[in-house]
């Protein structure tokens, strides 16, 4: 079934056509529609799950603070070691 509709930006004598059934365009549109339905269904299920179980094991703020502190400490220690090695590099060559 081919349906003619006037495009809102087209003049009154111009009409846009929908792809004919069985054409490649209609298959692409059908595939896109199925993908959109799957995506919206998955999103709806995720939202229902979040409503049912508000704490789903997400990373807490405390955990993030601890990891940032640990990484910062490790970077500071590595930087200090690099500075000490650079400073005493000439003296360490004879060891």
């Amino acid at each position: 079934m081919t349906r003619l509709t006037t495009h809102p930006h087209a003049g009154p004598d111009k009409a846009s056509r929908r792809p004919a059934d069985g054409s490649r365009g209609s298959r692409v549109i059908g595939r896109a529609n199925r993908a959109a339905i799957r995506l919206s269904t998955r999103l709806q299920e995720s939202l229902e799950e979040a409503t049912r179980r508000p704490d789903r094991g997400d990373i807490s703020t405390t955990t993030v603070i601890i990891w940032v502190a640990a990484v910062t400490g490790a970077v500071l220690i590595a930087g200090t070691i690099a500075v000490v090695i650079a400073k005493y590099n000439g003296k360490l060559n004879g060891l």
Side-chain angles (χ1 to χ4, degrees):
M1 171 178 152
T2 303
R3 197 172 93 193
L4 298 177
T5 58
T6 304
H7 193 273
H9 302 291
D13 59 338
K14 298 190 178 187
S16 60
R17 290 182 175 243
R18 230 172 101 198
D21 290 337
S23 70
R24 183 172 187 207
S26 68
R27 289 191 305 265
V28 170
I29 290 173
R31 205 174 305 145
N33 285 338
R34 287 190 300 276
I37 290 170
R38 281 194 306 268
L39 181 63
S40 64
T41 302
R42 177 69 178 116
L43 180 62
Q44 184 178 3
E45 289 171 355
S46 297
L47 289 174
E48 289 171 1
E49 177 74 14
T51 303
R52 208 170 41 247
R53 295 179 1 168
D55 182 21
R56 299 182 330 255
D58 293 336
I59 297 176
S60 68
T61 305
T62 308
T63 305
V64 172
I65 291 170
I66 291 169
W67 274 102
V68 168
V71 169
T72 303
V75 168
L76 286 174
I77 291 170
T80 303
I81 292 171
V83 167
V84 169
I85 288 177
K87 183 176 181 182
Y88 294 107
N89 195 22
K91 294 178 184 176
L92 294 175
N93 283 338
L95 293 178

